[in-house]
Amino acid sequence: MKRREFLKTGAALGLTASLPSIASANDEKVRRFRVEYYFNIKYDEPVYPARLWNPLPYNAPYQKIKFLRFGGNYNDYDINNKNEYNANTFYAEWEKSAMPKILTMEMEIETKDRSVPLELIKEASKKNLPYPKEVLKYLKPTAHIPTNGLVKEVAELITKGKKDRFQKVKAIYLWCTAHTFRNPKVVGCGKGEVGKMMQEQKQPTAEYIYKNGWFGGKCTDLSSLFTALTRAAGIPAREVFGIRLGKSHFDKALGKSDSKGFANITTWQHCRAEYYIPGAGWIPTDPADVTKLELVEKYSYDNPKVQKLVKKYLHSWEMNWVGFNHARDFVLYPKPVQYPLNMFGYPYAEVNDDVLNYYVPKSFEYKITSQELF
Amino acid sequence: MKKIFLSLILLNSLFSAEKVAIIQVSGMTCPLCTTAIKRSLKMTPGVIKAKVLLHTKTAAVIFDNTKTTPKKLLHAIEVVGYKGKIQQIKEVK
C-alpha cells in the first residue's frame, strides 16, 4: 500500500448534510455497522490509467460516520463535496500503468431509525409556511424528473380537492404504492426516467394513468415517480441514494444478514425519498420498499403487513441503510469525461473516456461488506 | 517536385479508406449509455476507433469505408437502443 489515511470523524471530512432537517431521529436504539470497500479496478487492456468517484454518506441526526480509514496505491486522492448537490465524494486516480489499481475503505456508521411524528407533520402543514430558499431547487424539474405535461396532469388528478400540502403528499404516496410494482428484470436500481415511464403506459393520457397506471421498476424508478409527482404538486421532494447495511427488523425482504450480523452488500444500493413540509423539515418516505415487500414475500397490496409498511413508510425509515446524497443529473468533481451523471448511488469509474459498468461489480471490480457491531 | 508531392498527398486523402463519421446520438441518459454504444460500434467490422460523449450527445467513429458504411454504423447504434444521425463524414487527418 502506498499510503494509509485515517480520518476520525465525518466532521473532519466536512461530511455534513447539506440541508437541515428539523425533525430528528427518534430515541431509538443506535445501530453500528462496520462497512468495508475493496476496489481493484479492472480494464480490458494491460496498461491503463483510472479515475474513481465513490459516494460517501452524509452526517445527520439519524446517521453518523464515526471514522473513515482508507488506503491503496492511488497516485492522488481527494475528499470533496464540490458539486451542485454537495454530494460527498471520495475520489482517487491512478496514472497509466500495468499495476493493479487498489483502494480499500473502512467506515464505521451509526444509525438510528428515523421517523417524523404524523401529528407534527399535520400541524406544520396546516400553518402553510413559506418554503425556505434552499429547498426551492427541489421543486424544479431535471432531465429525468419532468414536472410538467403528463406528470403535472396526473399529479393534479391525484391531489384534486386537496388544499393541505401533507394531504397532497399522502395522496401521491398512496397512489404510488398502489400503482407500482417491483420489476426484478430492471438493471440495478433503475434509471428513474419518469417522462419515459409515463409515455410507456398503455395509454399515455392523464385520465388513463390516474385510473389504471401500472408502473414497474426498481427503487430509483419508483422514488423518482413519487418525487416528480410531488414536485409537480408544488411540494419539494427528492430521491435519497444510499445502500442497505444489514438486517431489517421489519421483514427479511428489506435487508438481511447472517447470524453474526455480516452481509455482502455489494449490490444492496437502495434509493428512498424525502418531501419537505415547512415547520417539519425533510420527511423520510420509501414507496419503493412497499413493492419490494410485496414481490419478495408474494403479498398483495391489501395484505396487513404491506399495509402496516405503507403507513410506516409515509413518514419513516428503518435505518438498516445509510444515505449518500440526493444528487440527480449533475457533474462530479473533479470533472469526469462523461457527464452529467444521472444518479450517484454506485461507485463511478472511468478509464480515459470509457465508463466502467458499475452494475457489474465483478468486472468493475468492487466489493462492499457490512458487519453489524452488537 | 513540391507540387507533385502535394498532389500525391491530396490524391491519397481523396482515396483514403479511413474516414471519420460524426454522429448525433439521441436517447443517451447516463454515462453507461456511452459504453453500450461504443462497444456496439467497436464490434462492427471496419470500425477502427470510436469515441462517444454524453454531454455533446455525439459519437466520432473512425472507420474503413471499404469494410463498412455509415448506414451500418447507425445500425450498430440502433441495436443497442439509441438513434443516430450522421452529421458529417470527414477525412482522417
Side-chain angles (χ1 to χ4, degrees):
Chain A
M1 291 293 164
K2 186 177 173 180
R3 57 165 68 88
R4 191 150 183 85
E5 304 281 349
F6 176 77
L7 294 163
K8 201 175 171 189
T9 64
L13 304 169
L15 300 181
T16 52
S18 58
L19 285 158
S21 187
I22 295 160
S24 62
N26 298 354
D27 295 331
E28 294 282 343
K29 182 178 169 285
V30 171
R31 295 177 73 175
R32 292 168 76 97
F33 299 90
R34 178 73 55 88
V35 178
E36 294 184 13
Y37 284 77
Y38 170 76
F39 292 95
N40 179 6
I41 294 173
K42 297 274 199 298
Y43 192 59
D44 55 10
E45 283 176 19
V47 180
Y48 58 96
R51 300 168 83 203
L52 169 74
W53 294 257
N54 188 55
L56 293 174
Y58 55 86
N59 270 330
Y62 50 88
Q63 60 173 51
K64 282 188 165 52
I65 305 180
K66 302 307 286 182
F67 70 76
L68 169 64
R69 209 180 268 139
F70 54 93
N73 62 352
Y74 38 80
N75 298 94
D76 201 2
Y77 81 93
D78 182 39
I79 297 170
N80 71 77
N81 62 356
K82 295 178 195 166
N83 54 71
E84 190 193 341
Y85 289 90
N86 304 116
N88 294 319
T89 308
F90 187 98
Y91 170 77
E93 65 178 48
W94 291 262
E95 288 166 8
K96 192 172 179 176
S97 78
M99 292 275 290
K101 278 104 183 133
I102 307 291
L103 168 69
T104 59
M105 290 171 62
E106 191 186 339
M107 265 179 264
E108 198 166 290
I109 299 164
E110 263 185 13
T111 68
K112 282 182 197 173
D113 281 0
R114 182 186 181 197
S115 185
V116 182
L118 281 174
E119 283 314 307
L120 189 148
I121 302 169
K122 286 174 186 171
E123 284 306 308
S125 191
K126 273 180 202 163
K127 290 175 187 164
N128 208 27
L129 299 164
Y131 292 126
K133 202 167 59 178
E134 62 266 34
V135 305
L136 296 178
K137 74 187 285 189
Y138 299 105
L139 282 167
K140 290 177 183 166
T142 78
H144 285 85
I145 316 169
T147 54
N148 57 2
L150 264 182
V151 175
K152 178 92 178 148
E153 289 166 33
V154 173
E156 279 169 355
L157 287 171
I158 296 169
T159 58
K160 200 174 178 180
K162 290 181 171 54
K163 296 275 182 284
D164 181 90
R165 286 166 178 162
F166 178 61
Q167 290 310 318
K168 286 183 183 183
V169 175
K170 189 177 173 181
I172 290 165
Y173 169 81
L174 292 174
W175 185 90
C176 282
T177 56
H179 285 258
T180 56
F181 67 97
R182 184 174 171 89
N183 180 355
K185 290 177 185 167
V186 168
V187 176
C189 294
K191 288 183 179 175
E193 294 177 86
V194 179
K196 198 175 170 188
M197 286 163 74
M198 288 276 170
Q199 289 301 328
E200 283 172 349
Q201 291 292 295
K202 270 184 194 168
Q203 284 179 40
T205 65
E207 285 286 344
Y208 178 87
I209 291 170
Y210 170 60
K211 285 183 184 145
N212 312 296
W214 190 231
F215 294 85
K218 288 257 190 87
C219 53
T220 299
D221 300 316
L222 309 185
S223 297
S224 295
L225 179 67
F226 168 84
T227 298
L229 290 167
T230 305
R231 287 187 190 184
I235 295 137
R238 62 193 186 188
E239 300 98 327
V240 190
F241 298 93
I243 193 164
R244 290 183 211 273
L245 299 172
K247 186 181 177 175
S248 162
H249 297 309
F250 187 86
D251 191 282
K252 66 180 186 307
L254 311 181
K256 55 190 177 185
S257 60
D258 70 14
S259 59
K260 292 181 179 136
F262 177 83
N264 180 343
I265 62 169
T266 306
T267 59
W268 286 19
Q269 289 79 11
H270 178 52
C271 175
R272 291 175 148 176
E274 288 177 322
Y275 54 94
Y276 192 89
I277 304 286
W282 284 106
I283 297 154
T285 185
D286 192 344
D289 256 2
V290 172
T291 65
K292 187 162 191 190
L293 179 66
E294 288 172 296
L295 179 79
V296 176
E297 299 291 12
K298 298 183 175 64
Y299 290 150
S300 62
Y301 184 65
D302 54 10
N303 174 285
K305 197 166 186 185
V306 172
Q307 283 305 306
K308 190 180 172 187
L309 189 67
V310 168
K311 284 191 180 79
K312 181 181 164 81
Y313 273 5
L314 169 62
H315 63 110
S316 308
W317 283 343
E318 184 186 6
M319 287 303 290
N320 60 327
W321 172 93
V322 68
F324 294 142
N325 58 69
H326 36 265
R328 290 231 65 182
D329 306 313
F330 77 116
V331 184
L332 288 161
Y333 181 86
K335 199 174 190 176
V337 175
Q338 304 292 357
Y339 62 89
L341 184 62
N342 59 325
M343 54 95 187
F344 192 34
Y346 291 78
Y348 178 79
E350 289 181 350
V351 173
N352 300 319
D353 60 314
D354 281 346
V355 179
L356 304 191
N357 192 343
Y358 41 82
Y359 292 130
V360 188
K362 273 188 178 155
S363 69
F364 185 107
E365 163 190 323
Y366 67 90
K367 187 178 181 181
I368 315 168
T369 61
S370 172
Q371 173 66 59
E372 186 158 7
L373 307 167
F374 299 107
Chain B
M1 189 64 193
K2 200 175 174 183
K3 275 184 181 176
I4 293 166
F5 180 68
L6 283 170
S7 303
L8 280 171
I9 288 176
L10 197 66
L11 276 171
N12 187 44
S13 71
L14 277 173
F15 298 108
S16 166
E18 279 189 22
K19 307 277 183 199
V20 184
I22 306 296
I23 304 168
Q24 195 68 38
V25 184
S26 59
M28 284 199 283
T29 55
C30 69
L32 274 180
C33 299
T34 65
T35 306
I37 294 164
K38 190 172 176 176
R39 190 177 296 130
S40 183
L41 284 165
K42 283 175 88 175
M43 281 166 62
T44 306
V47 169
I48 298 153
K49 204 173 174 183
K51 184 168 184 164
V52 185
L53 290 175
L54 177 64
H55 65 285
T56 58
K57 300 203 181 328
T58 55
V61 189
I62 299 176
F63 67 102
D64 182 335
N65 74 345
T66 64
K67 292 179 182 163
T68 192
T69 62
K71 199 176 172 180
K72 284 179 182 170
L73 302 181
L74 295 182
H75 179 72
I77 292 168
E78 207 172 304
V79 293
V80 285
Y82 304 90
K83 208 164 171 52
K85 191 179 172 190
I86 302 284
Q87 297 287 84
Q88 214 179 353
I89 305 286
K90 297 192 293 191
E91 298 299 328
V92 177
K93 285 198 175 76

